[in-house]
Amino acid sequence: MESLSDTLWDVVISGTGISQSLLALALSRSGKNVLHVDKNDYYGGSEAALSLQEVEAWVVVVNNRLSSSPFQDAQLTISSNSDRSSVQSENSPKLGFSRAYSLSLSSQLIYTRSNLLPAFVSSKVYRQLEFLAVGSWWVYNDEGISGSEVEDCTTNTNGKLQRIPGGREDVFADKSIDLKSKRSLMKFLKLAVDVEAYTPILEEWGNKPFPEFLASYFGIPPRLQSPLMALTLSPNTPTNTLTSYALPKIHRHLTSIGIFGPGFGSVIPKWGGISEIAQVACRASAVGGGVYVLNKGIECISPPAEFSVSPREGEERGQLKIRLQGGEEITTRSVVGTHYDLNSQPQTTSPSLNLQVTRSITIVSSPLSALFSHTIEGAPPPAGAVVVFSSGSLKSASTAPAQETPAVYFIIHSSDTGECPDGQCVIYASVNLHDADSIASKLLDSAVQTFLQSVQEDPATIILWSLRYTQNHPSPDSHINDDVLTSNSTSLPNNVIQLPSLSNSLAIEDSVLEHVKLAWEKIVGSETEGGFMMFEDREGIGGEEDDAEET
């Protein structure tokens, strides 16, 4: 078998995040010789899903800046009540064993209208993926506005959780909304599902705040704007959320409902979220001839003449020499990775990664059954729920005015996802704030405590384990063009392709696959006859051979 250094690679891909993994899959079926490396000893990169023990090791790496990473300021808290080594009664809530958990570092949902789902079908990788429904969306209100409250739960003194209507039928059936407001909401929802109808309106209202549009154009009162703001998944405050951003997001939400079944419009992959997609793509790429090496990232990229090894006779112009961790030197025609995978030096900032999100992962000792109940006959059992704490609803968390803090978002996964043991849930929380002044931490802590007070179960729900950290994300203003894929470093050649990291959105954007396709086209050019992510059946994909490899 040839060593890595004895092979001329068409492309070396650094990092096993979803973008790199999908690109590796696409290139492996386009006749390209692909080497896929990762500095970590696990798949998934920034979207990895980790066990409890792996999280402990990850926290050390992040806080000691041992490698280039978008993460920083990781804090791990294990409840004394849940310590697996402590003496407890048999029925006391406690953590399971380490590998009973698969916790996603960047939890995101996928709308059923996403361009990813057709790509999974055309590439045949859908056979190794299982998607679960995100069945209900909730908003926390401290004023008791209209909506259906969580069944059998106790409303705390500050407010309540209320289900967000899934469409015009839900609004019409809600008896707590007055007739005038109901008519206004129905008019808005009718407009939001019709792109041709709202596109001309954006010429006048697109650059104005979304709440102003709702109030002035439709007469929707402030107490009914929170559920609509929640559906935008906006990381910004209401006054900084423009109508041009909000309307397309609500359109995506509403028109996704019912595509694959009643009662839901978004899904989450089982067994670790987005990380599971990356791993399946990597396995399929390996069947197509891709070579994978973990624990070996890129240390240095330079033209052959700058390397200690003399250029080989007949070497093509423009080939790159790469030194991997451990000193091994290889030759390739192209290199692809994100900013953090192409830079070996520890760092947490980048000119193109200028948004910081504070996140937390919380394991609780309850199935939170009220959030995962069936709402529509024939709907699949939901395994995910979204809870939104509107801007200003967590008044006790900060002295800042309501409009100065963005919403806090939860994506809650039940044990059906395979991410935690039966009888527990995982709460993925995020807020679009850096935690330098602790406001973000206070908001997240307040949101979790308020949530647990609002959904009380018997026995009482306790926090078993929690992790909080900050993550850098690219600006949402990135356009889909070749410039996005150009390395920011003037010292690197133009055949070094830099893929953007995932955005801070709670839902994966279509730009992820579009960037992957752009990178694929730059590498493949006009050489291939097949289409992008359009594969014929191959032995070992979705069959018994592949199942045997996985076990």
Side-chain angles (χ1 to χ4, degrees):
M1 179 178 178
E2 291 186 345
S3 67
L4 299 181
S5 58
D6 290 334
T7 302
L8 171 59
W9 302 96
D10 290 316
V11 59
V12 173
I13 299 177
S14 180
T16 53
I18 183 173
S19 297
Q20 297 103 306
S21 300
L22 291 175
L23 177 61
L25 172 59
L27 290 172
S28 72
R29 303 303 170 80
S30 300
K32 294 301 179 181
N33 198 11
V34 178
L35 173 63
H36 200 167
V37 300
D38 196 311
K39 61 190 174 188
N40 302 305
D41 59 359
Y42 51 82
Y43 288 94
S46 300
E47 299 94 60
L50 306 177
S51 67
L52 298 184
Q53 188 174 353
E54 288 171 332
V55 169
E56 293 177 6
W58 176 85
V59 168
V60 173
V61 171
V62 168
N63 289 339
N64 289 295
R65 306 286 180 89
L66 298 181
S67 67
S68 178
S69 169
F71 302 106
Q72 61 193 74
D73 303 329
Q75 300 179 41
L76 179 61
T77 304
I78 302 175
S79 170
S80 59
N81 295 328
S82 66
D83 188 349
R84 287 166 285 171
S85 63
S86 63
V87 178
Q88 306 177 56
S89 67
E90 184 176 343
N91 296 325
S92 298
K94 52 183 175 291
L95 286 172
F97 60 93
S98 174
R99 302 208 69 83
Y101 299 88
S102 182
L103 306 175
S104 175
L105 294 177
S106 302
S107 179
Q108 291 180 297
L109 54 84
I110 303 174
Y111 274 105
T112 57
R113 292 180 60 88
S114 169
N115 59 4
L116 282 174
L117 299 183
F120 296 154
V121 173
S122 64
S123 62
K124 308 299 188 293
V125 298
Y126 74 95
R127 296 168 178 168
Q128 297 180 6
L129 292 168
E130 182 176 352
F131 293 98
L132 304 172
V134 178
S136 58
W137 291 58
W138 306 84
V139 63
Y140 175 79
N141 266 283
D142 58 351
E143 299 177 355
I145 70 165
S146 61
S148 302
E149 298 179 25
V150 177
E151 297 177 3
D152 301 323
C153 76
T154 301
T155 302
N156 70 9
T157 56
N158 294 322
K160 64 185 70 173
L161 284 179
Q162 296 165 318
R163 190 186 297 273
I164 298 176
R168 297 169 67 189
E169 295 81 4
D170 291 343
V171 172
F172 182 78
D174 194 333
K175 298 180 180 179
S176 64
I177 305 178
D178 64 82
L179 185 59
K180 181 179 179 181
S181 296
K182 194 172 292 188
R183 287 173 178 168
S184 298
L185 286 172
M186 298 283 273
K187 289 180 180 179
F188 170 78
L189 295 175
K190 181 180 180 181
L191 176 73
V193 299
D194 190 341
V195 175
E196 293 184 359
Y198 72 66
T199 298
I201 295 175
L202 291 180
E203 295 181 7
E204 178 183 357
W205 290 93
N207 292 324
K208 296 181 180 179
F210 185 54
E212 181 182 339
F213 172 68
L214 293 176
S216 300
Y217 198 89
F218 290 99
I220 297 175
R223 65 188 183 88
L224 292 176
Q225 293 178 10
S226 294
L228 299 177
M229 273 297 306
L231 296 183
T232 69
L233 298 179
S234 173
N236 302 314
T237 61
T239 53
N240 289 323
T241 299
L242 300 180
T243 304
S244 58
Y245 173 91
L247 265 178
K249 300 301 184 185
I250 294 180
H251 171 84
R252 175 183 64 178
H253 179 91
L254 295 175
T255 56
S256 292
I257 297 174
I259 288 181
F260 292 118
F264 72 100
S266 55
V267 295
I268 47 178
K270 190 175 182 179
W271 309 116
I274 304 306
S275 174
E276 181 67 8
I277 297 175
Q279 292 195 56
V280 166
C282 288
R283 290 198 295 268
S285 174
V287 173
V291 175
Y292 283 81
V293 184
L294 296 180
N295 247 339
K296 194 177 284 291
I298 290 178
E299 197 172 80
C300 176
I301 304 173
S302 61
E306 297 179 15
F307 247 74
S308 58
V309 176
S310 300
R312 297 173 186 148
E313 185 177 350
E315 203 167 42
E316 297 175 17
R317 183 180 182 183
Q319 286 178 12
L320 300 170
K321 287 286 188 176
I322 294 178
R323 182 162 54 237
L324 301 176
Q325 291 171 341
E328 189 169 13
E329 298 176 353
I330 60 176
T331 308
T332 182
R333 294 185 173 93
S334 299
V335 180
V336 184
T338 67
H339 166 78
Y340 292 105
D341 293 306
L342 295 176
N343 290 273
S344 61
Q345 296 302 314
Q347 54 188 298
T348 54
T349 58
S350 163
S352 61
L353 299 172
N354 54 9
L355 294 180
Q356 293 184 314
V357 177
T358 301
R359 299 183 180 275
S360 70
I361 304 174
T362 305
I363 302 171
V364 297
S365 64
S366 168
L368 301 176
S369 304
L371 294 182
F372 302 105
S373 59
H374 286 276
T375 58
I376 297 179
E377 184 178 354
V386 176
V387 178
V388 182
F389 292 80
S390 304
S391 175
S393 63
L394 298 167
K395 292 187 173 69
S396 62
S398 171
T399 57
Q403 295 297 317
E404 291 186 358
T405 56
V408 174
Y409 292 95
F410 286 3
I411 301 180
I412 304 177
H413 291 194
S414 75
S415 61
D416 289 344
T417 62
E419 297 177 21
C420 63
D422 290 343
Q424 298 180 12
C425 281
V426 182
I427 302 173
Y428 296 100
S430 63
V431 62
N432 193 48
L433 283 175
H434 182 244
D435 206 27
D437 51 8
S438 297
I439 291 179
S441 293
K442 291 177 182 177
L443 281 170
L444 292 180
D445 290 345
S446 177
V448 171
Q449 293 297 333
T450 299
F451 170 76
L452 295 181
Q453 293 173 20
S454 299
V455 184
Q456 294 185 357
E457 298 191 357
D458 187 19
T461 303
I462 65 171
I463 296 174
L464 301 175
W465 182 100
S466 64
L467 171 70
R468 185 169 61 242
Y469 53 97
T470 299
Q471 183 175 6
N472 294 287
H473 286 278
S475 168
D477 298 327
S478 298
H479 298 290
I480 311 299
N481 54 49
D482 286 349
D483 293 339
V484 176
L485 303 180
T486 302
S487 172
N488 291 323
S489 174
T490 56
S491 63
L492 295 178
N494 59 12
N495 51 345
V496 176
I497 300 173
Q498 182 171 302
L499 288 168
S501 301
L502 294 191
S503 74
N504 61 337
S505 173
L506 261 71
I508 290 190
E509 303 290 351
D510 285 349
S511 59
V512 171
L513 191 63
E514 291 167 350
H515 282 135
V516 171
K517 185 177 181 181
L518 271 179
W520 177 81
E521 290 173 342
K522 287 173 76 77
I523 295 169
V524 172
S526 58
E527 299 176 16
T528 182
E529 296 180 1
F532 174 68
M533 298 289 282
M534 302 285 291
F535 308 145
E536 298 296 329
D537 282 320
R538 293 181 62 134
E539 185 179 0
I541 299 296
E544 294 180 1
E545 267 188 36
D546 200 62
D547 292 338
E549 284 183 14
E550 206 166 339
T551 58

